[in-house]
Amino acid sequence: MTGTATGVVALGMYDLPELRAATDAWWAAIARALRAEGVAGVPESLDRSRPYHEVWRDPALLLTQTCGYPLTHGFADTLTAVAVPSYDAEGCGPGRYSSAFLVRDDDPAGDLAGLRGRRAAANGPDSQSGCNVLRSAVAPLAADGRFFSEVVWAGAHRRSLAAVRTGDADIAAIDAATFALISRHAPEEIRGIRVLGWSPAAPALPYAVRRGIDAGTRARIAAALLRAAADPDAAAARETLLIAGLSPVDDAAYAVMPEMRRAAERLGYPELA
């Protein structure tokens, strides 16, 4: 940022209602670190007033967290990654995460092949963890571009999980951090649900800035994120959000995501269907 104009920050990827106090505390730590690194225009609070896709195109965007799929597809001209979190959750590793393929406890399917002709729920077609990994996993099993009888576009991981639980869908891919956070803070929402399997790991959801930001500001923001990840005053917030640490990253780490899409296309399965 230049001048004194206030920037925009949104951290909506894991901002469940139950976690908003922790998200605000985590942002306060990041904001302190940004100011300590000399970053201008740091806002006092997060922008929760608009859809994140709108915020990501705001010229005043200072910092956000995004999914790797939009980073490499619809927002490749807008966002660039600066740091990647590690999450303390099953299915996660340093800077990486997987998706859990979730079905009901009483579903007879023993593997993904057992879901042929059934209904899938996904948060949206631009999601790595909810759509791209599931498309990739079933592409070798599909015939004539189809595997499922129907795809329910739920709009959010939490709603995809609810669709499986209530029988409106038979399977959903839910990212490991979301699954762990819901399991901890809303355990009733996973009752009657089991993990059928896990997707291959991919880079976790990055913290990102506007593409074209000057190199000095980018470096200061990256340094601030690492500073915040070591701030003892933010330890409780990080623990609540399952953030075990942060490390530098760039866009090249996310090349696996468009390659997953292209591999499915080569198998004749371009869309989750």
Side-chain angles (χ1 to χ4, degrees), residues 128-150:
Q128 167 66 16
S129 56
C131 178
N132 200 33
V133 297
L134 188 55
R135 173 175 50 202
S136 176
V138 303
L141 307 172
D144 299 322
R146 292 208 68 86
F147 179 76
F148 297 111
S149 63
E150 181 184 1

Side-chain angles (χ1 to χ4, degrees), residues 10-273:
L11 299 177
M13 292 290 94
Y14 296 110
D15 191 24
L16 304 177
E18 298 91 336
L19 300 175
R20 287 195 170 179
T23 303
D24 286 337
W26 174 228
W27 164 241
I30 295 172
R32 287 194 301 272
L34 288 167
R35 295 182 184 112
E37 292 290 339
V39 177
V42 179
E44 292 295 327
S45 59
L46 298 169
D47 187 335
R48 293 188 173 105
S49 66
R50 296 177 288 167
Y52 57 81
H53 288 92
E54 182 178 324
V55 174
W56 291 347
R57 292 207 181 275
D58 192 324
L61 180 69
L62 179 66
L63 178 68
T64 192
Q65 187 177 23
T66 182
C67 174
Y69 194 88
L71 179 77
T72 55
H73 290 79
F75 290 82
D77 64 338
T78 305
L79 300 176
T80 184
V82 292
V84 62
S86 296
Y87 289 101
D88 183 14
E90 183 181 6
C92 296
R96 298 178 71 78
Y97 78 139
S98 299
S99 291
F101 298 133
L102 301 179
V103 298
R104 289 181 298 281
D105 279 342
D106 60 359
D107 195 294
D111 55 22
L112 285 174
L115 277 299
R116 185 185 302 278
R118 309 280 289 284
R119 293 166 297 177
N123 50 344
D126 63 345
S127 170
Q128 167 66 16
S129 56
C131 178
N132 200 33
V133 297
L134 188 55
R135 173 175 50 202
S136 176
V138 303
L141 307 172
D144 299 322
R146 292 208 68 86
F147 179 76
F148 297 111
S149 63
E150 181 184 1
V151 175
V152 177
W153 296 109
H157 275 312
R158 205 167 191 171
R159 291 198 287 270
S160 295
L161 179 57
V164 175
R165 193 176 67 250
T166 61
D168 291 330
D170 300 302
I171 183 172
I174 306 295
D175 94 65
T178 295
F179 186 48
L181 289 166
I182 292 173
S183 298
R184 177 181 291 192
H185 297 282
E188 69 281 359
E189 295 185 23
I190 64 161
R191 291 194 184 111
I193 296 292
R194 66 180 172 91
V195 177
L196 180 69
W198 292 89
S199 74
L205 282 69
Y207 288 80
V209 296
R210 286 182 298 108
R211 185 169 293 283
I213 195 170
D214 68 90
T217 301
R218 177 193 169 95
R220 288 191 291 274
I221 291 172
L225 287 167
L226 301 187
R227 181 193 287 249
D231 183 350
D233 292 338
R238 291 194 303 270
E239 191 279 333
T240 299
L241 298 171
L242 305 180
I243 298 171
L246 283 169
S247 56
V249 77
D250 59 28
D251 297 342
Y254 293 85
V256 62
M257 297 175 183
E259 178 51 37
M260 289 175 68
R261 188 205 74 231
R262 288 190 293 266
E265 290 172 345
R266 289 193 293 270
L267 291 170
Y269 192 64
E271 307 293 340
L272 187 65

